[in-house]
Amino acid sequence: MQKTSSRLLTLLSLFQTRREWSGEDLAERLEVTVRTIRRDIDRLRSLGYPIAATKGPAGGYRLQPGTHLPPLLFDDEQVIALAIALQSTAHPAIAEDADRALATIRHVLLPRLRQRIDALRVTTLRPPEQDTSTTKALDLLTTLSTAIRRREELRLDYTPHLDAAPQQRRVQPHHLVAWRNHWYLLAWDLDRDDWRTFRTDRTTPRTPTGPRFTPRQVPGQDIASFVTSRFRGSDGTDATWPCQGEVTLDLPATEVIPYTSDGIVEPLGLTRCRLITGSWSWAALAADLGRFDADMHAISPPALRRACTTLAQRYANAAAPSVERTQGT
């Protein structure tokens, strides 16, 4: 059984993970009686924690928000999880703030927890960004998040790529998502009458915001699957690649697995393996297979074989001496 002080910390931690707990559930989690839980609740109230209680079959305890709420407390596992999450932050927009937050947390930890965090140091590779202004990036994310929460239309100046001129877009913002070291705004494009994703570092919102709108349901009601499928060239209803194929490679499976993000690698002995993977087009998939620098066999389906043939011919034509070069020598 936990000591009283330890049990109180655990109670506070539980209250921060769920809005309401029954006395029976708390007693079961802490392996004490319901009577002990009631006494612990009274102790927490005496310390200034506003804990409300409701009676009846559906009753229980909940920690009420308050302007003078004492500092939040975390148990050991939560501290470790928080430290790892802060170290794993790869988005430059908040990387510096995450590092400072981790340093602040580490400074106030007990020695035993500090040692555990130091033993779990994680180095996250953060690719360089064109816009290195953390304040500007955070302000932009805050502006977009506010429009999403208020359900207000936005007018954007959006640059699809570096060499393009800004485009004016009218959108209904729905979600901010992180994908491969970038932030994206998922929104309903009013002019194109379809869902679109906008890289936030290429987006400049205009003021004031537009009228309020009623949020639409994302197809499939699964944000992760919908956004993933859009990045893979699908219409958003299917998270799989639009072009999928398989090939036998003259390489051990152990040499292929590290370079296959979401494909399936099946060992076929010590020196061969079968790779099942996909891409947004057959030509892109054929080019992707060539990066393994190994002989290939049993390529399927026929569309992938044709793409390999076409790509091989293009490479051969590009590598052949041109007529002008031959005449010049």
Side-chain angles (χ1 to χ4, degrees), residues 261-276:
S261 58
D262 56 0
I264 299 174
V265 181
E266 177 187 353
L268 298 177
L270 297 177
T271 60
R272 276 192 173 190
C273 67
R274 178 182 292 111
L275 172 63
I276 303 173

Side-chain angles (χ1 to χ4, degrees), residues 139-140 142-156 169-173 185 190 204-213:
D139 288 345
L140 175 59
T142 301
T143 298
L144 296 176
S145 296
T146 300
I148 293 171
R149 177 171 50 83
R150 294 178 178 175
R151 300 175 181 177
E152 295 175 342
E153 292 182 5
L154 283 174
R155 293 175 300 134
L156 308 175
R169 313 290 279 267
R170 294 186 308 118
V171 303
Q172 295 175 346
L185 172 68
L190 293 167
T204 303
R206 293 190 173 194
T207 56
T209 55
R212 295 176 65 97
F213 63 90

Side-chain angles (χ1 to χ4, degrees), residues 239-260:
T240 59
W241 288 108
C243 299
Q244 298 184 80
E246 67 176 77
V247 63
T248 298
L249 296 171
D250 284 351
L251 282 175
T254 54
E255 295 185 19
V256 176
I257 291 175
Y259 303 100
T260 305

Side-chain angles (χ1 to χ4, degrees), residues 253-326:
T254 54
E255 295 185 19
V256 176
I257 291 175
Y259 303 100
T260 305
S261 58
D262 56 0
I264 299 174
V265 181
E266 177 187 353
L268 298 177
L270 297 177
T271 60
R272 276 192 173 190
C273 67
R274 178 182 292 111
L275 172 63
I276 303 173
T277 186
S279 188
W280 57 274
S281 73
W282 294 115
L285 181 54
D288 191 50
L289 294 176
R291 68 192 174 97
F292 289 103
D293 192 22
D295 289 339
M296 295 180 284
H297 316 275
I299 300 175
S300 65
L304 179 55
R305 291 199 298 271
R306 291 193 294 270
C308 288
T309 300
T310 301
L311 197 60
Q313 187 60 55
R314 287 174 181 167
Y315 283 142
N317 293 340
S322 64
V323 175
E324 292 81 359
R325 187 182 306 137
T326 302

Side-chain angles (χ1 to χ4, degrees), residues 59-271:
Y61 301 99
R62 67 176 180 273
L63 184 64
Q64 294 180 325
T67 56
H68 301 291
L69 185 66
L72 297 178
L73 298 176
F74 298 94
D75 58 32
D76 291 8
E77 288 71 22
Q78 287 177 316
V79 170
I80 299 299
L82 181 60
I84 294 176
L86 289 171
Q87 292 182 69
S88 303
T89 300
H91 297 282
I94 59 175
E96 182 180 347
D97 291 324
D99 291 340
R100 290 192 296 108
L102 179 60
T104 301
I105 291 174
R106 186 184 180 281
H107 180 70
V108 299
L109 289 179
L110 295 173
R112 58 181 177 82
L113 283 177
R114 191 180 305 122
Q115 292 173 4
R116 291 184 64 184
I117 289 180
D118 290 343
L120 289 169
R121 299 297 293 180
V122 177
T123 299
T124 301
L125 300 181
R126 295 164 181 160
E129 293 288 319
Q130 293 181 354
D131 184 4
T132 58
S133 172
T134 301
T135 301
K136 179 180 178 181
L138 288 177
D139 288 345
L140 175 59
L141 293 178
T142 301
T143 298
L144 296 176
S145 296
T146 300
I148 293 171
R149 177 171 50 83
R150 294 178 178 175
R151 300 175 181 177
E152 295 175 342
E153 292 182 5
L154 283 174
R155 293 175 300 134
L156 308 175
D157 288 332
Y158 184 67
T159 306
H161 50 84
L162 295 179
D163 297 329
Q167 303 173 354
Q168 294 186 13
R169 313 290 279 267
R170 294 186 308 118
V171 303
Q172 295 175 346
H174 282 261
H175 296 275
L176 274 175
V177 297
W179 172 267
R180 295 185 177 179
N181 304 314
H182 291 291
W183 287 101
Y184 291 87
L185 172 68
L186 174 62
W188 178 263
D189 193 313
L190 293 167
D191 295 322
R192 289 155 179 78
D193 199 32
D194 195 8
W195 293 97
R196 290 290 189 271
T197 53
F198 303 90
R199 262 184 58 169
T200 59
D201 59 338
R202 298 176 180 175
T203 300
T204 303
R206 293 190 173 194
T207 56
T209 55
R212 295 176 65 97
F213 63 90
T214 300
R216 303 169 184 265
Q217 287 291 341
V218 173
Q221 301 185 24
D222 185 339
I223 302 300
S225 297
F226 179 77
V227 173
T228 300
S229 67
R230 278 301 180 99
F231 280 116
R232 291 178 173 178
S234 175
D235 60 0
T237 59
D238 187 354
T240 59
W241 288 108
C243 299
Q244 298 184 80
E246 67 176 77
V247 63
T248 298
L249 296 171
D250 284 351
L251 282 175
T254 54
E255 295 185 19
V256 176
I257 291 175
Y259 303 100
T260 305
S261 58
D262 56 0
I264 299 174
V265 181
E266 177 187 353
L268 298 177
L270 297 177
T271 60

